[in-house]
């Protein structure tokens, strides 16, 4: 145990919840990765209680997963529409549902729950077509329901620290921002004649028009805007595929322009051997620069122009409240991806309880805005259009 | 979302639980660091339900914390003895209690719960005196109750990977092992005339005879044995203090001998500026070497003699089942300290359910053995004796 | 001392020279950085003897520098034309001259020496205008003289290793290459009303039409081609300036296309705080990927698709002859920038002695080809044109 | 080229030499590693001219190496005694000789040159027996000749920076210092029945009583004293061998005490797979801490107590004159082992010219003092004695 008072100096958790939210979940039973991530994230800070689920559309899997997750048998559904109706009808029904299924199903599922008055937490990209995202946005506007898109990387403490430092002017006028999300999990084998199936991610019918640009590029795009505090006013994309038989891009290389005059680049790749979900950003102004990488998530590297580079540690000296509120354990003990996702879930909980119970919250829900979800879908379409039209500038905002 | 089938290849969670355990907790309400860590760890994998707590001996704090943790008001106690009696008397009472208070209170609290037939999870060091640890061990032997000491670092996936590789002979005959736990949170200000209070950690009455050697040295000692698979047959300690007014060691430098013939070193420091809980080990044999650091917890660096150094990533190629069972999310998305602690809690749950329900478990509870807790206390006493007697060799096992 | 036979396994210096070359130098006396670099590089492997210099056009500086460099007084010139004539007239005159002056003077100086039959080693960019580069190329073709452009980074051992691995097919079919050269030495102060002079580098009259794109972008461009073994068939550039008063680009962000079908990106920046000449490349194929950074110049990071990432150490296991020939000291003892530059000088020496003395050399002079120098100037012009014409694709080869 | 005035701010070379020294060398022709290192180091800054050598005792090797090094045939000797006599008799004879042969021969060779009035630069350890070192010291005292022992690591710029910061009080009162030199080049194969020969390094007759402790431990010991500015007042050593058939230690683990009250540790190993000459130190005081590693030689990591860790770059902000005088190229372009060795040679040159020519030098020759060479031999003997006597404290100074 290691808890002298000073070592907790950089730890300032979010406000306690007045109560727990009743959460339902769709997807997650079939061995995919993101369903359990949502469940752990919801559980970590004790702000949710999982009460219902449609964990799989296959009855046997749904049943087994429901038992494993300790769902009551009668609230472990196989059809999300049944779930939406039944939970809406219960006085103790799910207040909010987390959608963790493949992209193409997000719209229908979200719509089913919104139609029943149930708030939604939706994985990204929000939908595979912009029209669907706009439809959900309109429904949300009409109903006043909460709709949250999980750009979970934006809830890493040191990402918040970066955003806060930029907003506070520590970097001066921003000149350039570079962001990238590099993976290798779709690297084709050189021996395969035709590409093997790589799950729904390489199928346009299930993933939408974007491959890497949608799957991970949207995260990079969100981070670029989130950290810089500036909208991307232009993008110029070159999309490519590592294998001719692949139907969606697996390499996306973009030039960026920001509304404040900065320029930059965005790389997204699923075919870069040696990269394990390497998400990074670099942002430079005339007063200083910042660099961050998920692989070293607990540190932010800050250089004031003309000074030595400094390593700001999560929980340590130099952290600002924006980061401290995302911090659970003292500096040195690493927090990771699940903690970031849980931070997002905690912010959603505070926002949602305030909304449902009609109370005021001082905590902004920064990383889950529906507007960012909609813009993420527009980003994919703008990038695909830029590439198709011969690598010309597109403004993703113009599509909305 | 990023879940093509191959990316989950290195993820193989522990067996699902047949039921949840009813958990009580002592300590954790007063703003310390380790109480919430236990609570999150218990919650993460959904294997425990927190049903009762003595979160503080101060009624106001206990009440506020109990509300924040959503404990029923009548099961939020201010006296652990009341809690032990009351919970033992309930048919739905806590089956197991987590003790997260300062070291000097571990023995009395643990004894109170064991006396009521309640299993115990205890933070380390297990007690401040060896006699107390032996008393608990005897009680446990007599009653057949479970007693688990939380050497949580040993549940990091890549620590398990290291242990499994050593056991599989990947390193050959072990020649040397170096382990260290370096911090800076007690670095004295050069301006202070006398030392300020640094909490109970620098008070022998509350911490026992060891400072850094007990607070963090025990973790390093546990790792040395855990990873090498060998007992430490000798230690020679030099303990020192950064400030004459300090009453316990804050720097501990030890030479080690292992029963298999290897030699090594152990460093523990609370006064090394720039170190944020830097826990590391290095182990070398005639077939290869391994290096690991908590600061880069998701990688293990492996060198086969004469080959390039390889970076084994948690969840990636080269991982063995021992690591995969400790893994929740694919390679690249970092897991951290809380996940390691949750791994330990999950292993304890499997062990305890098997014990309580009389069923067989194939999962060994590796990182929480009471024998390791007892030996950790003996280690502190042996190190203090070695230093006091002029830096001579001591065998910690000889004290038990 | 550390020299058991095995530790030298990865050290295989270039063939010994049959004699030393007589070297002259132009520039270097005025406190600039690159002049002494050439001098040290020439001296390191004992293949040159400095016999003459025009170290500065200012007589006092030329005299002082000549004395400091131990030049005979009568061979320390102030006018490079005098030097060219005088040295050509001596039987023991300089055989080759190193030009280390600012860019705009390269053409005239090089021409003066070529006209006198003296071989030339020229810093990059070769000239500030493509016409001048083509003029020199024609002169060289006519005379058969040697002309070497110092792309020194391409003589780092681990850059050679990367090139050799790509050529040997270790990466399979190349899909993407990213290269960058990031600095911060021209970051403007936020307080300055108008930009201060930053030497000749920000003056188009002295530097030519490119700023960062010429000063450092040419190095990145050379590396992209050198390592991939492929020509860049298209580039699309976005050039920008951190301050409106600056007259040349200080940020250059490019998309690339390679003739073999790969895509990629190139970043060059002089205004990215925290970057100290950070030159990096990443190259990915379907069999594997490689990453290298000047900041960790002695290691190359190699991932075979589906395998653990491996760290290949200069001088260590896994190195190929191409790297071993660039290696002087065993693995672990770092070699740096000057050693790389000296490697280039050694290759030039072997090539030049073969040329002058009419003997055959088995050593290719890889990093100093005049064709690469010419293409580097075309690259700058193509990038400037791409940006000016609205960020459209340009083929630098089409300009030649 | 990258040389705006500001980027050279951290570059401040040593004073220019008034003339070149005439250097002879003994050893270096036989393919060993350290001979060429001395030659390059002498050449790099143009302060020496190699005029004579006894590059090997085998005539064919000596002749071939002499030709390759461009020695006049009549000054390429096969017997160092002949060389000493002949060079002493020439008006243009070698003024100073570099001894780069195996340890056991240092004494006789050094003595031969001192007897002829020729100054000596000697690799470390100075001798294999303390009596021999003391003999040389006495001879030097009597004759007033220069005798320099090449502790080259102490001439790394960032090692100088560390020393200067400690001396300036930036770390406050020093509490602990840890130093280590870890290699793997003698790791035995697990398959070999008896140990193979590993050159003269594992033969007590040629290496003296110490293995790793002498070969590399002396470097670590020198650094500990050099950086801390404190004498080691006590050491307690545990020496071991990775294989029973080995006759000298290959693992040395020591506890240290410093005269100022600090404690620490020293590790030296030749059998730690994955370590390529990893030389590191860490030093901690009550005002701050410093960490340095040869693998990242161009950076020094500085933490003021309670502040963020800062990365001080060679040639960059925060460097002190002591480091700047050891710096040739701007920050970002790495300098390495050969540059450090050349720094030492440059300091020796300044010192020696001042001595020979009777002029005053403001440059202290910090890293090559004979006193440090003698103490290094005493260190080996003290460590061996400590181990043999049962790991008891020894003061190396007491042996002299």
């Amino acid at each position: 145990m290691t808890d002298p008072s000073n070592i907790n100096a950089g730890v300032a958790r979010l406000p306690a919840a007045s109560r727990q939210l009743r959460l339902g979940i769709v997807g997650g039973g079939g061995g995919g990765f993101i369903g359990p991530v949502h469940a752990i994230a919801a559980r970590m800070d004790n702000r949710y209680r999982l009460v219902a689920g449609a964990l799989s559309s296959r009855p046997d899997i749904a049943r087994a997963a429901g038992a494993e997750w300790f769902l009551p048998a009668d609230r472990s559904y196989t059809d999300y529409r049944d779930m939406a109706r039944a939970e809406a009808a219960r006085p103790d029904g799910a207040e909010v549902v987390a959608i963790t299924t493949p992209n193409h199903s997000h719209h229908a599922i979200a719509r089913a729950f919104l139609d029943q008055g149930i708030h939604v937490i939706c994985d990204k990209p929000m939908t595979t077509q912009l029209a669907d995202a706009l439809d959900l946005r309109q429904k949300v506007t009409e109903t006043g329901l909460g709709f949250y898109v999980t750009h979970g990387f934006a809830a890493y403490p040191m990402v918040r620290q970066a955003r806060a430092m930029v907003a506070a002017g520590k970097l001066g006028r921003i000149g350039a921002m570079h962001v990238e999300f590099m993976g290798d999990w779709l690297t084709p084998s050189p021996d395969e004649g035709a590409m093997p199936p790589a799950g729904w991610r390489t199928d346009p019918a299930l993933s939408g028009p974007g491959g890497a640009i949608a799957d991970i590029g949207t995260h990079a795009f969100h981070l670029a805007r989130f950290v810089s505090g500036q909208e991307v006013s232009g993008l110029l994309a070159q999309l490519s595929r590592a294998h001719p038989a692949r139907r969606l891009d697996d390499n996306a290389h973009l030039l960026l322009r920001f509304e404040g005059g900065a320029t930059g680049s965005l790389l997204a790749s699923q075919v870069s051997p040696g990269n394990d979900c390497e998400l990074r950003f670099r942002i430079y102004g005339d007063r200083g620069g910042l660099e961050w990488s998920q692989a070293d998530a607990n540190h932010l590297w800050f250089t004031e122009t003309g000074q030595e580079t400094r390593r700001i540690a999560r929980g340590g000296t130099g952290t600002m409240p924006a980061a401290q509120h995302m911090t659970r354990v003292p500096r040195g003990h690493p927090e990771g991806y699940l903690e970031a996702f849980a931070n997002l879930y905690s912010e959603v909980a505070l926002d949602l309880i305030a909304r449902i119970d009609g109370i005021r919250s001082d905590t902004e829900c920064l990383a889950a805005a529906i507007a960012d979800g909609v813009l993420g879908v527009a980003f994919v379409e703008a990038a695909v259009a830029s590439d198709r039209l011969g690598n010309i500038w597109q403004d993703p905002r113009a599509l909305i």
Side-chain angles (χ1 to χ4, degrees), chain A:
Chain A
M1 290 199 297
T2 318
D3 69 348
S5 55
N6 62 327
I7 208 162
N8 266 331
V11 179
R13 294 169 195 149
L14 288 170
S18 55
R19 65 177 182 89
Q20 288 183 303
L21 283 165
R22 298 186 302 277
L23 175 70
I25 192 163
V26 180
F33 132 53
I34 205 68
V37 165
H38 281 257
I40 293 174
R43 215 150 49 216
M44 193 179 290
D45 293 331
N46 212 23
R47 297 176 189 271
Y48 295 84
R49 200 152 43 85
L50 185 65
V51 297
L55 303 182
S56 174
S57 55
R58 288 184 46 191
D60 53 337
I61 293 178
R63 193 162 37 236
E68 187 178 328
W69 294 31
F70 303 119
L71 287 181
D74 64 330
R75 299 178 78 177
S76 179
Y77 305 87
T78 54
D79 188 309
Y80 65 85
R81 285 158 298 209
D82 296 341
M83 175 177 164
R85 275 189 300 267
E87 292 296 318
R90 296 176 67 114
D92 64 347
E95 298 167 285
V96 56
V97 67
I99 301 175
T100 72
T101 55
N103 304 346
H104 72 291
S105 61
H106 290 179
H107 174 257
I109 299 173
R111 190 62 207 248
F113 283 91
L114 292 175
D115 284 344
Q116 296 292 340
I118 295 177
H119 307 275
V120 170
I121 297 169
C122 182
D123 214 283
K124 50 52 46 196
M126 182 175 161
T127 60
T128 53
Q129 300 183 60
L130 185 55
D132 288 344
L134 294 171
D135 174 68
L136 293 175
R137 187 182 65 172
Q138 183 174 342
K139 180 72 184 175
V140 162
T141 305
E142 290 167 9
T143 58
L145 290 165
F147 194 103
Y148 305 92
V149 183
T150 51
H151 289 109
F153 299 105
Y156 267 112
M158 300 319 277
V159 173
R160 294 295 172 97
Q161 172 75 15
R163 176 183 163 94
M165 291 178 75
V166 172
K170 303 269 189 193
L171 269 59
R173 189 166 42 83
I174 301 303
M177 170 149 219
H178 305 287
V179 60
E180 60 183 59
F181 199 143
M182 306 294 277
D184 63 5
W185 54 89
L186 297 183
T187 306
S189 159
D191 306 321
E192 55 194 315
M195 290 294 294
W200 57 267
R201 272 169 215 303
T202 56
D203 182 348
L206 303 181
S207 273
I213 191 75
D215 192 29
I216 53 177
T218 45
H219 279 304
F221 177 71
H222 184 270
L223 267 196
R225 299 169 51 243
F226 187 78
V227 172
S228 70
Q230 295 185 22
E231 289 300 327
V232 170
S233 57
L235 61 84
L236 187 158
Q238 177 177 228
L239 309 182
S240 58
R241 295 141 213 234
H243 195 290
R246 182 159 286 163
R247 290 179 292 163
L248 291 172
D249 63 281
D250 47 29
N251 264 325
H253 307 151
L254 282 72
L255 301 180
L256 302 180
R257 286 179 184 158
F258 292 82
E259 59 177 351
T263 58
S265 66
L266 184 155
L267 303 179
S269 176
Q270 297 159 324
V271 290
S272 296
N275 287 270
D276 294 336
C277 299
E278 307 286 346
L279 176 67
R280 301 188 192 94
F281 65 78
R282 302 179 274 180
I283 179 165
Y284 304 113
D286 54 9
R287 283 196 192 279
L290 288 173
E291 306 197 356
W292 181 84
S293 163
Q294 188 184 216
D296 183 29
N298 291 276
H299 294 119
L300 181 66
W301 297 85
F302 173 46
T303 311
E304 272 191 276
T305 302
Q307 298 300 311
E308 302 100 320
T309 294
R310 278 180 270 171
R311 185 183 69 195
I312 304 179
R314 184 193 50 72
T317 300
T319 52
M320 298 169 75
Q324 293 171 357
H325 283 299
M326 302 283 106
T327 295
R328 285 169 195 79
V329 292
R331 62 190 165 89
H333 294 315
E335 297 194 50
Y337 174 77
L338 291 167
E339 286 79 3
F341 224 96
N343 289 335
L344 183 146
Y345 258 84
S346 284
E347 284 191 330
V348 168
L350 288 166
D351 192 73
L352 202 45
I353 288 172
R355 186 187 295 260
I356 295 173
D357 298 351
I359 56 174
R360 202 181 100 78
S361 166
D362 290 331
T363 303
E364 208 180 342
C365 184
L366 281 172
I370 185 171
D372 292 336
V374 173
L375 192 56
V377 180
F379 161 77
V380 174
E381 297 205 351
V384 169
S386 170
D387 181 66
R388 196 184 56 240
L389 298 171
N391 318 109
I392 61 169
W393 289 101
Q394 297 279 294
D395 182 343
R397 300 170 304 175
L399 301 180
I400 301 177

